[in-house]
Amino acid sequence: MAQLDITLFKKDSPLFYLKVLLVTFYLLFYGSPVLSVTPLAPIYTIVTYVIVGILVPFAFIYLFDKIFIKKRFSTIDSLVVLMSLFVFYTALTSSAVFDQPILKGVFISMKTYLPIISIFLFYYLFKTETVTMNQYNIGMLMVCWVNLVLYIFLMFTINPAVFKDTTDMVGFNPSKGGYVFNFPPNFIVYGIFFYFIDYTINKNRFSLLLSFVLIAYILFLDKGRIQFVCIVGALALHTLWLLPLKSIMFRVFDIILVTVLMLLIVYWIEPELLDVVYNMFMVFAKAIFGIETGESSADARWVEIASVLSYFDKHPGQWFFGIGFIPRDEMWLRFGYLYFTDIGIFGVLLVFGIVGSVLLFLFFLYPAFVVRKIKNFKHDIIFNTIVGSVFYLLLTSVFTGGFAFAPASMLSIFMVLEYYKQKDDKIQQVKKWRAAQSLAA
């Protein structure tokens, strides 16, 4: 046990910056599909295939070792395996409903579930301390800022009309000022949570400013109203969970001050953006209450929801298990214009049914259990960033389906929680050992 006390946290190695660079490179190429619309597209494609070529055999070797040699799974291993079973769940339901060949259904579902095998590699790297949590966090933040610069550069240098019909990363929405870029916000959202939580815990006002720089991007350039609502909601829930009311009141003044500063800067640079943001949230509010907005994007969501409810009215038995995944072209032939992520929880119910949806949401029992059990990292910034991300996942699941259609994002968060749980367990053991030593003395 004395040895446990010494090796509880491994110091960062001399290869610290090299490992940060490798983590950043991996996250940038495997987690940022935006590179596919840049001159780096050929390299992005090659690197993606190389990474998958590493992940797949590693997953087989890892599972072989766990099943036949060690003969035990860790909690995170079990969660990944359980989540991967939804490949077969959706393949079976699409076969039962549409007579789609099961093997075809498996291949279609793999697009959603294949990325979760990356969890095996990263958890192994964490478990062996080959990569430390500090290195991983710096890599995440580096990709956050690289993405921010890249996204802004692309927004002002490429013609969005060229990509409107060839990629999902460009859309057209009059209430948002015309063409909009749908670049993946995941890493930027991570940065927002990290810097804002650094402020809430350490009262670091510079971090508050950094978080608002990222929030300004989401609000005024990305124009992601759903992301903005979910970010603000998750940050509010996390702050209420973490801090007493008196501490919150002291921080509200700083937040209001920085908000006013952000709005004044936008007004000075391009005041039209304020009108665009106001209009898009008015449309959002009307859409939430079912009022016709005149905006095709918002009104289409109610049409899509009506299509799903009409389908369930005609086939009530499919409320239970859903319809699974089928090719997009076939989906549009059967349902008309329909995107699962447009209709949030209704899209989840259509694909997975009540049974599958309940099983998916049961995964959140894991973070609820871990967060309650951890005692020694209550004010750790990375740990709290992950807790805030859990709130964010839950909120996005209502509006976009969130983790149900991107399970790797959920499992990567659980992987970090498991890392902290293991560390916390070791600290508890050390404390018990020290207490026993004191009593014996």
Side-chain angles (χ1 to χ4, degrees):
M1 185 67 73
Q3 180 66 18
L4 177 63
D5 194 16
I6 295 171
T7 61
L8 189 58
F9 290 98
K10 183 179 177 181
K11 292 182 179 179
D12 289 319
S13 70
L15 299 175
F16 180 85
Y17 292 106
L18 176 60
K19 291 180 180 179
V20 167
L21 184 63
L22 290 173
V23 169
T24 303
F25 182 83
Y26 169 84
L27 293 172
L28 183 61
F29 276 86
Y30 196 61
S32 298
V34 69
L35 293 176
S36 64
V37 296
T38 70
L40 293 175
I43 299 174
Y44 166 78
T45 302
I46 294 170
V47 172
T48 300
Y49 282 123
V50 169
I51 291 174
V52 172
I54 294 171
L55 290 176
V56 171
F58 179 86
F60 278 114
I61 294 169
Y62 182 86
L63 289 172
F64 181 87
D65 176 65
K66 289 287 185 175
I67 296 171
F68 297 105
I69 299 176
K70 293 187 174 64
K71 297 182 180 180
R72 64 185 299 270
F73 273 0
S74 68
T75 303
I76 197 68
D77 296 332
S78 301
L79 291 174
V80 173
V81 171
L82 287 172
M83 181 60 75
S84 68
L85 294 179
F86 279 91
V87 170
F88 304 102
Y89 176 94
T90 54
L92 289 170
T93 52
S94 61
S95 175
V97 174
F98 300 120
D99 292 324
Q100 178 174 264
I102 292 177
L103 187 59
K104 180 180 179 181
V106 168
F107 279 110
I108 293 172
S109 299
M110 287 293 284
K111 182 180 179 181
T112 298
Y113 291 96
L114 182 61
I116 68 175
I117 64 173
S118 64
I119 304 301
F120 289 135
L121 175 60
F122 256 104
Y123 185 66
Y124 172 80
L125 295 175
F126 285 148
K127 187 77 173 174
T128 58
E129 300 267 7
T130 304
V131 171
T132 66
M133 189 55 60
N134 189 29
Q135 291 164 342
Y136 176 75
N137 178 63
I138 294 173
M140 292 286 288
L141 294 176
M142 286 184 67
V143 176
C144 163
W145 292 107
V146 168
N147 275 354
L148 180 71
V149 173
L150 178 61
Y151 292 173
I152 294 174
F153 174 77
L154 291 173
M155 286 177 177
F156 289 98
T157 58
I158 67 173
N159 180 6
V162 174
F163 296 96
K164 183 178 181 297
D165 298 321
T166 60
T167 175
D168 292 336
M169 293 186 193
V170 175
F172 187 85
N173 192 326
S175 77
K176 294 183 179 182
Y179 284 105
V180 289
F181 292 88
N182 304 316
F183 296 143
N186 297 352
F187 292 102
I188 290 176
V189 171
Y190 180 90
I192 291 171
F193 277 88
F194 178 84
Y195 293 117
F196 189 88
I197 289 168
D198 181 36
Y199 165 73
T200 60
I201 292 176
N202 298 320
K203 301 179 184 177
N204 185 340
R205 288 186 173 89
F206 182 66
S207 286
L208 180 63
L209 289 173
L210 291 177
S211 71
F212 267 75
V213 169
L214 299 171
I215 287 172
Y217 163 79
I218 293 289
L219 190 56
F220 295 107
L221 294 180
D222 181 74
K223 299 183 180 74
R225 54 192 171 195
I226 290 177
Q227 282 80 17
F228 178 77
V229 168
C230 292
I231 288 167
V232 171
L235 288 174
L237 288 171
H238 177 268
T239 303
L240 289 169
W241 170 78
L242 181 66
L243 297 179
L245 186 59
K246 183 178 178 181
S247 298
I248 294 173
M249 296 306 296
F250 280 117
R251 287 165 175 78
V252 166
F253 177 77
D254 284 341
I255 294 169
I256 292 174
L257 187 64
V258 176
T259 301
V260 171
L261 177 63
M262 177 183 71
L263 295 176
L264 286 174
I265 292 172
V266 173
Y267 180 78
W268 177 58
I269 296 175
E270 193 169 349
E272 294 82 5
L273 280 176
L274 296 176
D275 291 330
V276 170
V277 169
Y278 173 78
N279 289 332
M280 75 183 194
F281 276 106
M282 285 299 295
V283 168
F284 179 76
K286 289 179 181 179
I288 289 293
F289 290 103
I291 301 172
E292 187 173 346
T293 66
E295 180 200 297
S296 58
S297 175
D299 294 339
R301 282 169 165 77
W302 284 108
V303 174
E304 293 174 67
I305 291 172
S307 176
V308 170
L309 294 178
S310 174
Y311 178 81
F312 280 139
D313 282 341
K314 296 175 182 175
H315 309 279
Q318 288 167 28
W319 271 106
F320 294 100
F321 299 104
I323 66 169
F325 290 111
I326 58 176
R328 181 180 293 181
D329 291 345
E330 187 176 342
M331 174 68 68
W332 286 3
L333 283 173
R334 294 178 180 276
F335 293 89
Y337 177 88
L338 179 65
Y339 279 96
F340 299 136
T341 53
D342 276 356
I343 53 177
I345 193 66
F346 291 97
V348 176
L349 285 169
L350 179 63
V351 174
F352 300 98
I354 294 172
V355 173
S357 299
V358 169
L359 291 174
L360 280 170
F361 279 93
L362 284 175
F363 276 78
F364 283 94
L365 291 176
Y366 171 75
F369 168 77
V370 170
V371 170
R372 287 188 61 186
K373 185 175 180 181
I374 288 178
K375 306 296 182 185
N376 298 284
F377 296 98
K378 292 294 185 182
H379 292 90
D380 182 274
I381 299 174
I382 301 174
F383 171 72
N384 278 279
T385 299
I386 296 303
V387 174
S389 298
V390 172
F391 289 127
Y392 177 75
L393 278 179
L394 281 169
L395 291 175
T396 54
S397 69
V398 176
F399 293 105
T400 67
F403 72 94
F405 302 123
S409 62
M410 178 180 75
L411 291 172
S412 63
I413 288 172
F414 291 2
M415 171 186 68
V416 177
L417 285 177
E418 179 66 16
Y419 170 90
Y420 275 102
K421 177 179 173 295
Q422 296 293 330
K423 292 295 184 185
D424 193 77
D425 288 343
K426 288 186 178 181
I427 292 173
Q428 295 292 352
Q429 292 174 32
V430 169
K431 287 182 176 179
K432 288 179 181 178
W433 177 77
R434 286 177 173 171
Q437 293 291 99
S438 298
L439 288 174

